[in-house]
Amino acid sequence: MPKSLIYRPVLIDGLITNHRIGSYARVFNTRNDLELMGVYLWNLSVCAALYPLVSSAEVTLRNAIDAALTGDLGRFWWKKTKLHYKSFVPNTNAPYPVNFLYGNFDTAAGAVIREARVRHNRNRHTPLHHEVVSKTEFSTWEFILDAEFMGNNLIWPKNLGKVFTGPWPSQQASTTLTYLKDLVTTVREFRNRLFHHEPAWKRFGVLNEANALAHLVEKIRKIEELITLISPEKTELLRKNGILQRAYSACTSAEIRRHQHAGVIHKVASMSKLAHVVELAHLNSTMEKICIYGKSKRVFTIS
């Protein structure tokens, strides 16, 4: 049982470190190591629940932009001879956002070549369009939304409605493009925290559990908003398959208590009681623990 584990010195001091876990103790006001480890494991659970949502946002954005620009400019649309920008002047360096974008695609192509050599023993592989796109960093799809690419005979605004088919925040394309870029930046930075094993709840101004939960819910809403702006149908797919609800449900005080082994355990001795707990979990979008006694005590989780 978790209460019988010895958390120090190995588990906390050695394998997690006090420097990392100290912020959990302060923000979540834990009273002992069981509660401290519980909230630490809760953060891992939150990251797991958010992973498919964040991945969906990244892949949906990438594929929507690539499909629209391939239809407009053709395959390998990111080549300098195809992807033009507003402040172009012959024989001068491109501005930072443009150079950054070109560099991202060069890096992605290099990654394709390395993978072909290492995994498939192909030493002279020419990267295909879809291979390069699949190897791009998330930041690629942030910088492609830069205002440098907005103007007459440029990719925006003529392709904006093809990529973002949901309700726009403004009727003005330039305002919408700025809003979208900021939104993608927010999602990308949060995604990086998750993927680099940082506490998902952490940011400046988060001082207690309520702040942490509010911050997480805000980020989920931003991710949901981005996906909806691209494709309301994709959002509906995630909703109907429980991906969105799982993310929101993970970011609750009840889930923290469950991981701290401080939540309610329902004793089930009849089918009617079991049905009641199942209905409770469904109505509240929570995970409920039940305990069944037979030859031995057994604990299950219902979601």
Side-chain angles (χ1 to χ4, degrees):
M1 294 294 290
K3 294 180 181 179
S4 66
L5 290 172
I6 300 173
Y7 292 101
R8 297 178 193 267
V10 175
L11 291 176
I12 292 178
D13 301 336
L15 299 181
I16 299 175
T17 76
N18 281 304
H19 174 73
R20 168 54 64 92
I21 209 167
S23 58
Y24 286 84
R26 290 190 299 273
V27 170
F28 294 93
N29 196 28
T30 57
R31 297 169 296 180
N32 52 55
D33 286 344
L34 178 66
E35 290 186 357
L36 181 59
M37 185 59 74
V39 78
Y40 177 82
L41 294 176
W42 164 77
N43 178 74
L44 297 181
S45 180
V46 167
C47 292
L50 292 178
Y51 180 85
L53 188 59
V54 173
S55 295
S56 292
E58 181 174 356
V59 172
T60 301
L61 177 67
R62 181 188 75 195
N63 290 346
I65 293 176
D66 178 56
L69 299 191
T70 299
D72 182 23
L73 303 177
R75 298 174 72 79
F76 300 99
W77 50 261
W78 53 85
K79 297 292 186 182
K80 294 180 181 180
T81 54
K82 294 185 176 184
L83 185 62
H84 301 151
Y85 56 94
K86 184 164 49 181
S87 65
F88 173 77
V89 176
N91 302 317
T92 60
N93 291 328
Y96 173 76
V98 178
N99 269 333
F100 186 93
L101 190 71
Y102 290 150
N104 266 14
F105 279 106
D106 287 343
T107 300
V112 172
I113 293 170
R114 284 193 300 275
E115 184 175 274
R117 183 177 65 250
V118 173
R119 293 185 60 187
H120 307 292
N121 198 29
R122 296 202 300 264
N123 292 321
R124 293 187 178 183
H125 178 67
T126 300
L128 302 175
H129 176 102
H130 73 274
E131 291 177 322
V132 177
V133 170
S134 69
K135 291 294 185 184
T136 53
E137 297 287 342
F138 196 169
S139 58
T140 306
W141 312 103
E142 173 187 342
F143 279 85
I144 195 65
L145 297 173
D146 193 87
E148 274 290 339
F149 301 108
M150 165 75 83
N152 293 331
N153 300 317
L154 301 179
I155 58 173
W156 315 126
K158 66 176 177 176
N159 291 299
L160 207 58
K162 298 175 186 176
V163 177
F164 299 96
T165 65
W168 287 14
S170 170
Q171 293 183 347
Q172 287 191 323
S174 59
T175 302
T176 294
L177 186 70
T178 300
Y179 183 87
L180 290 167
K181 187 173 185 294
D182 290 343
L183 184 59
V184 172
T185 300
T186 298
V187 173
R188 179 184 61 80
E189 290 176 348
F190 183 63
R191 174 258 193 207
N192 287 348
R193 288 198 64 82
L194 295 182
F195 287 22
H196 295 151
H197 313 297
E198 296 290 331
W201 52 268
K202 205 171 188 179
R203 78 161 182 190
F204 179 78
V206 170
L207 303 176
N208 53 45
E209 181 179 302
N211 294 157
L213 294 173
H215 168 62
L216 289 170
V217 169
E218 177 195 3
K219 294 304 182 188
I220 295 172
R221 286 175 178 161
K222 291 290 186 183
I223 298 167
E224 182 181 358
E225 181 185 9
L226 175 59
I227 296 172
T228 303
L229 280 163
I230 303 166
S231 170
E233 294 81 6
K234 184 63 173 286
T235 302
E236 195 63 15
L237 173 71
L238 297 173
R239 181 177 292 111
K240 288 189 174 181
N241 283 276
I243 302 296
L244 272 170
Q245 190 56 59
R246 198 170 301 126
Y248 282 114
S249 296
C251 303
T252 60
S253 292
E255 274 298 280
I256 294 176
R257 302 290 91 76
R258 187 174 71 84
H259 282 81
Q260 292 176 325
H261 302 279
V264 174
I265 299 180
H266 305 274
K267 294 181 180 179
V268 173
S270 66
M271 287 300 296
S272 61
K273 181 59 181 289
L274 178 60
H276 169 74
V277 178
V278 170
E279 184 67 14
L280 184 69
H282 173 70
L283 290 175
N284 297 331
S285 298
T286 55
M287 299 183 75
E288 303 290 338
K289 279 189 174 182
I290 64 170
C291 180
I292 297 176
Y293 291 90
K295 292 182 179 180
S296 61
K297 175 183 174 182
R298 290 185 292 175
V299 177
F300 300 90
T301 301
I302 294 175
S303 62

